Amino acid sequence: MASGLLLGGAVAALVAAAVPAHNPSGGFVDPPPDKIVIDVATVNGSGCPAGTAAVAVSEDNTAFTVTYSDYLAQVGGNSDPTAFRKNCQLNLIVHVPQGFTYAIAEADYRGFASLQAGASGVQRASYYFQGSSQTAAKTHTFPGAYNDNWQATDTTDWAQLVWAPCGVQRNFNINTEVRVNAGTSSPSKVSFMTMDSTDGDISTIYHMAWKECPGK
């Protein structure tokens, strides 16, 4: 576990509705009653220095939240030339009750952006299980001029959900990126985009779908 990483504790409140999984037999599978536990194996990236990301699981096992406090990309003015892009890779160990598997059905991202006219901001995320070639990636673009909170939601159709393999432990990887492009904006003016807020807490919520493993 990365040094200084916070697990649980006082993070932003989870707001997520249950996402029941469709059962091939025709029914739906509710979230398992047993608690799931998420441990962080590694956290790497310029957008999530040690101690600036936290993970918490909702009480009803339908979602988990990642909270960032130092995730900011910017261009223009005296900005560092490498600051235009920030990223974070979370490698999570998800302990799932026996007989169940899960997929990420929806992800909500939030932050703040101040983009000059002619500039643009990009938020991108991809998800995959360790050892799997299946990767779901979503990209959202925000054109300037823009000066407000932003929100982006990734939704995956049932047929395209990538499920954790049954009977084996495979770490779940989340790669996120925030990028600001200067475009035609004035080089002297700063444009920036964050996945945090003025109080240092902004939640990225991942909604989970569930199904029973064969033979359960």
Side-chain angles (χ1 to χ4, degrees):
M1 185 181 301
S3 174
L5 191 70
L6 305 176
L7 290 178
V11 298
L14 290 160
V15 182
V19 184
H22 177 72
N23 189 318
S25 65
F28 288 88
V29 176
D30 291 326
D34 297 334
K35 182 175 178 59
I36 63 171
V37 177
I38 297 178
D39 294 324
V40 179
T42 58
V43 54
N44 294 298
S46 54
C48 53
T52 66
V55 180
V57 182
S58 66
E59 292 185 0
D60 61 4
N61 291 341
T62 62
F64 65 91
T65 297
V66 181
T67 303
Y68 300 100
S69 61
D70 191 18
Y71 205 147
L72 180 149
Q74 66 178 49
V75 294
N78 296 322
S79 302
D80 188 298
T82 64
F84 75 98
R85 175 185 178 272
K86 293 295 177 70
N87 75 294
C88 183
Q89 175 169 321
L90 293 171
N91 185 285
L92 306 177
I93 304 171
V94 183
H95 303 277
V96 178
Q98 186 174 4
F100 288 88
T101 184
Y102 71 95
I104 301 302
E106 184 175 290
D108 300 321
Y109 296 90
R110 296 179 178 86
F112 183 85
S114 178
L115 305 170
Q116 302 294 330
S120 62
V122 174
Q123 183 272 328
R124 185 177 188 273
S126 61
Y127 321 91
Y128 66 96
F129 291 99
Q130 182 181 14
S132 172
S133 60
Q134 293 179 289
T135 300
K138 306 284 185 178
T139 300
H140 303 273
T141 301
F142 301 86
Y146 188 98
N147 188 54
D148 203 348
N149 295 317
W150 62 267
Q151 179 173 344
T153 298
D154 296 346
T155 302
T156 304
D157 293 335
W158 170 262
Q160 297 177 323
L161 289 176
V162 179
W163 296 93
C166 287
V168 293
Q169 179 67 57
R170 292 287 185 269
N171 290 8
F172 182 58
N173 292 275
I174 302 170
N175 294 321
T176 58
E177 174 185 330
V178 171
R179 180 191 300 262
V180 179
N181 302 309
T184 58
S185 64
S186 170
S188 64
K189 295 183 178 180
V190 174
S191 293
F192 68 88
M193 185 172 181
T194 76
M195 260 207 294
D196 66 1
S197 67
T198 53
D199 62 2
D201 287 325
I202 189 72
S203 296
T204 297
I205 302 176
Y206 298 87
H207 306 259
M208 306 174 80
W210 294 92
K211 71 176 181 179
E212 294 180 352
C213 290
K216 181 181 181 296

